[in-house]
Amino acid sequence: MIIKMKNVRCRGGCHLTSVVWLIIFCFFTAAFAKTPVRKIPRTSDSSALGVQLNIKNRQRVVIDNGLVEVTFSSPDGDVTGIKYKGIDNVLEIGNDEDNRGYWDVVWNKPGDPIIFDKLVATDFRVIMEDENQVEVSFTKTWDLSMGNSTVPLNVDKRYIVRRGQSGLYLYTILERLEGWPDVDMDQIRVVFKLQKDKFHYMALSDSRKRTMPMPEDRVSGQPLAYPEAVLLTKPINPELRGEVDDKYQYSCEDKDNKVHGWIAEDPPVGFWMITPSNEFRVGGPNKQDLTSHVGPVVLNMFTSTHYAGKDLNTEYRNGEPWKKVLGPVLVYLNSISPKEDSSILWEDAKEQMSIEVNRWPYDFPQSEDFPSSDQRGAVTGQLLVRDRYVNERLLYASSAYVGLAAPGDGGSWQTESKGYQFWIRADRRGHFVIKNVRAGNYSLYAWVPGVIGDYKYDANITINPGSRIRFGHLIYEPPRNGPTLWDIGIPDRTAAEFYVPDGYPTLMNKLYTSDPAEKFRQYGLWNRYSDLYPNDDLVYTIGISNVKDWFFAHVTRDAGNKTYDPTTWQIIFELQNVNRNENYTLRLALASATASEIQVRFNNPSSDRPLFTTGAVGKDNAIARHGIHGLYWLYGIDVPGSQLVEGKNTIYLTQARSDGPFHGVMYDYIRLEGPRGT
């Protein structure tokens, strides 16, 4: 059954009836439960109208290809309007023109407050204009006379409209010259704010799609432990009452963040952000970041400290020069007949994403700073693992993440933000091919699911245009001093295998109630530890307990009155024989850490000095932001045999920092190794 509604408005504080919102809710629920009945036909270049450029009074630039009409402010370079399929402007017309589609940078000088800079341009020029493509540029050239009013960057914002393409390509070229002031640039993104009266349904993946709250619902809701989280107490759509809304519940790992967006119901139109490559993103393939959220807002996060904190290196010091191309990415629009199934829009967006991925690197951007395929190189090889305590033979690095990033130490790629990164998953035998690598100097890195630590090839690698580097067999020897006596968890850089509790019934996001794998995204799970362990802490017994007895996050205990206590977890294990003259090794891998300190003691919880401490570690805030991991930390701890006894032993893990509820770590994997040669 198709339910069609028109002119559903929420302005001026008016309240829609429960019946109206229930109809909308049922429409989307029913529509997305169906199987798509057809594909949206794509316009061929030969049948499409040519692209036309119109410059109006030097204050408006309009590009029209017969499918979409895009309007820019000039010379500022903001996207002020997108006309599509009977909607005069899919962007929020209630916003000022500089608050609809724009780039911004969050920056500061060392020690100064942060500043939001929308990268307002001062000059406009046409780069290319013919019937097949128009590319325009909005630029700003920085100089010292600008002082602290704007981020010290040269900016070139580029927009491309192509014949037959239902959308807008965009990219920007940012540059610091040598000798420019010291700054931090913690966030670089592009933002689109859609009409809130039309776009109510958000889609991030096949399993993460839903009708969303209105922005007014957040205003009328109850703020929770931090500003991003709000309990919906009086939502316009009554079906959403009692749910929690938090933009971080819709985060995504960059490797999976290729398409997301919104759907309008009347007329049925989709607005999608498609990212065909991650080469210009930061922190590696597993870094998490924001996607779309209430507004309705569509983001593309090119740089951010989310799920990493200031351990991500966003500092530019000592006059360091820098230049980077961010994008191109595609804003894609699609539509169907009101009589058709709305799920077709999502399926079509995924198909368009696949098309864009296969086209990468594009051959049509006109900037000389964006190299075409024949100006790039490739790296191939096979990664194997040597761990003689597991198998005398070499093991395949099955499904390893293999990548090229700026030269550095092993694992440094996860805190690197200035250069380009190129990542691929190896096949089940460890074979990998990294294609379309920009010319430059790199290190070759890898990590293998199921294996601790980071691989790094010994020498740096220079990629020249057209080069093909073949490595043959590469062998990774992970950290290992002796045989495994016992272990806890799976070394996959997440805490997903551990016990993730159910969320509070009064603080749920219904999107995540049916999929156990997504349960970690519920609000307030850090407080569940205090519920489960109100007095005594977690005790894990080797050989008896299993991974579901291990709470996913080692956090503080709520002591009431906004005070929190440190917590100490115990691992109990038996040793039949102890070599008191040799060292054992405790491998401690963290999947996340926030303002924490893990102290390790053996068999004496009252010892004034721990055998080992991480010291203050971590700023990724993944616990509060509903992540199941942040940055990866690996420690190898020498344990003198004199610390152990034959029979029962206990390791005490104390999370000693307790200034708030979000101080804590997520463990990835813990292993005790016997002495060498045993």
Side-chain angles (χ1 to χ4, degrees), residues 78-195:
D78 296 324
V79 182
T80 63
I82 301 177
K83 184 177 181 179
Y84 180 73
K85 292 293 183 180
I87 304 178
D88 287 340
N89 194 348
V90 300
L91 304 182
E92 180 50 68
I93 56 178
N95 289 0
D96 292 339
E97 289 193 345
D98 65 353
N99 192 28
R100 298 177 185 176
Y102 58 89
W103 295 80
D104 69 18
V105 174
V106 175
W107 73 284
N108 63 281
K109 289 189 173 181
D112 288 353
I114 64 170
I115 301 170
F116 282 81
D117 190 324
K118 286 191 173 180
L119 301 182
V120 176
T122 56
D123 295 287
F124 163 74
R125 63 191 176 114
V126 178
I127 302 298
M128 175 183 180
E129 180 184 4
D130 64 25
E131 63 180 8
N132 293 314
Q133 177 173 318
V134 170
E135 179 170 344
V136 294
S137 167
F138 300 88
T139 60
K140 180 202 73 173
T141 302
W142 189 86
D143 63 60
L144 286 171
S145 67
M146 296 180 178
N148 296 329
S149 62
T150 184
V151 60
L153 286 174
N154 288 337
V155 177
D156 186 353
K157 298 185 287 188
R158 299 287 187 101
Y159 301 97
I160 301 170
V161 175
R162 307 193 75 213
R163 185 173 188 166
Q165 178 59 279
S166 179
L168 168 70
Y169 293 94
L170 56 146
Y171 65 109
T172 192
I173 306 156
L174 302 180
E175 182 179 23
R176 280 175 50 90
L177 300 184
E178 187 173 0
W180 281 10
D182 292 352
V183 296
D184 293 7
M185 291 190 290
D186 288 352
Q187 179 173 281
I188 306 173
R189 65 179 186 171
V190 67
V191 183
F192 287 91
K193 298 182 177 180
L194 309 183
Q195 279 207 44

Side-chain angles (χ1 to χ4, degrees), residues 297-427:
V297 171
V298 178
L299 302 173
N300 203 315
M301 307 295 297
F302 297 97
T303 298
S304 89
T305 55
H306 298 145
Y307 301 95
K310 289 296 287 182
D311 287 312
L312 186 79
N313 182 15
T314 59
E315 298 179 352
Y316 297 79
R317 298 290 186 269
N318 303 315
E320 174 186 2
W322 174 76
K323 190 175 189 179
K324 193 171 184 179
V325 178
L326 305 178
V329 299
L330 171 63
V331 169
Y332 176 65
L333 294 97
N334 57 6
S335 65
I336 55 173
S337 162
K339 296 181 179 180
E340 292 185 288
D341 190 329
S342 297
S343 61
I344 295 173
L345 295 171
W346 167 244
E347 295 300 323
D348 176 73
K350 291 192 299 178
E351 183 177 341
Q352 187 66 40
M353 177 269 291
S354 296
I355 292 171
E356 301 302 322
V357 169
N358 290 329
R359 285 176 177 170
W360 188 270
Y362 297 135
D363 59 5
F364 53 83
Q366 297 300 299
S367 172
E368 62 182 14
D369 293 307
F370 184 77
S372 59
S373 181
D374 61 358
Q375 296 173 305
R376 296 172 178 241
V379 174
T380 66
Q382 182 184 24
L383 184 64
L384 304 170
V385 176
R386 176 181 287 137
D387 188 341
R388 291 191 174 94
Y389 286 100
V390 174
N391 195 312
E392 286 292 333
R393 304 179 66 177
L394 291 172
L395 304 170
Y396 297 128
S398 179
S399 301
Y401 291 85
V402 186
L404 295 169
D409 297 329
S412 61
W413 50 268
Q414 69 172 343
T415 57
E416 203 283 316
S417 72
K418 298 176 183 178
Y420 299 96
Q421 298 198 20
F422 302 86
W423 289 88
I424 197 73
R425 294 294 297 273
D427 67 15

Side-chain angles (χ1 to χ4, degrees), residues 12 79 86 149 288 319 324 392 419 480 490 546 560 592:
V79 182
S149 62
Q288 299 161 98
K324 193 171 184 179
E392 286 292 333
R480 169 77 77 172
I490 301 170
N546 62 56
S592 169

Side-chain angles (χ1 to χ4, degrees), residues 385-576:
V385 176
R386 176 181 287 137
D387 188 341
R388 291 191 174 94
Y389 286 100
V390 174
N391 195 312
E392 286 292 333
R393 304 179 66 177
L394 291 172
L395 304 170
Y396 297 128
S398 179
S399 301
Y401 291 85
V402 186
L404 295 169
D409 297 329
S412 61
W413 50 268
Q414 69 172 343
T415 57
E416 203 283 316
S417 72
K418 298 176 183 178
Y420 299 96
Q421 298 198 20
F422 302 86
W423 289 88
I424 197 73
R425 294 294 297 273
D427 67 15
R428 65 183 184 87
R429 293 178 176 266
H431 294 284
F432 62 89
V433 180
I434 307 175
K435 300 178 181 179
N436 295 314
V437 181
R438 284 171 163 266
N441 295 319
Y442 301 92
S443 288
L444 179 70
Y445 302 99
W447 73 271
V448 186
V451 180
I452 64 170
D454 281 278
Y455 171 81
K456 176 183 177 292
Y457 184 66
D458 291 338
N460 290 337
I461 299 164
T462 298
I463 301 294
N464 295 311
S467 66
R468 299 292 183 268
I469 299 176
R470 296 174 176 84
F471 278 109
H473 294 164
L474 301 173
I475 298 176
Y476 172 46
E477 297 191 37
R480 169 77 77 172
N481 288 335
T484 298
L485 300 181
W486 53 259
D487 60 1
I488 301 172
I490 301 170
D492 61 359
R493 304 191 179 214
T494 82
E497 70 271 28
F498 298 126
Y499 176 65
V500 179
D502 292 332
Y504 292 102
T506 56
L507 296 170
M508 299 293 278
N509 184 321
K510 293 179 182 177
L511 182 61
Y512 304 122
T513 56
S514 60
D515 186 355
E518 300 283 358
K519 191 162 57 171
F520 66 87
R521 300 186 189 277
Q522 296 288 7
Y523 175 85
L525 298 186
W526 56 86
N527 282 331
R528 296 287 283 117
Y529 181 79
S530 297
D531 298 336
L532 295 168
Y533 299 93
N535 300 307
D536 299 318
D537 285 317
L538 183 149
V539 177
Y540 188 98
T541 302
I542 300 297
I544 297 176
S545 305
N546 62 56
V547 291
K548 295 304 180 184
D549 297 315
W550 188 272
F551 197 76
F552 82 103
H554 190 168
V555 290
T556 56
R557 179 182 290 104
D558 188 346
N561 297 320
K562 297 185 179 180
T563 62
Y564 303 88
D565 292 333
T567 52
T568 298
W569 292 9
Q570 298 178 45
I571 304 172
I572 298 174
F573 60 98
E574 298 275 343
L575 291 178
Q576 293 183 351

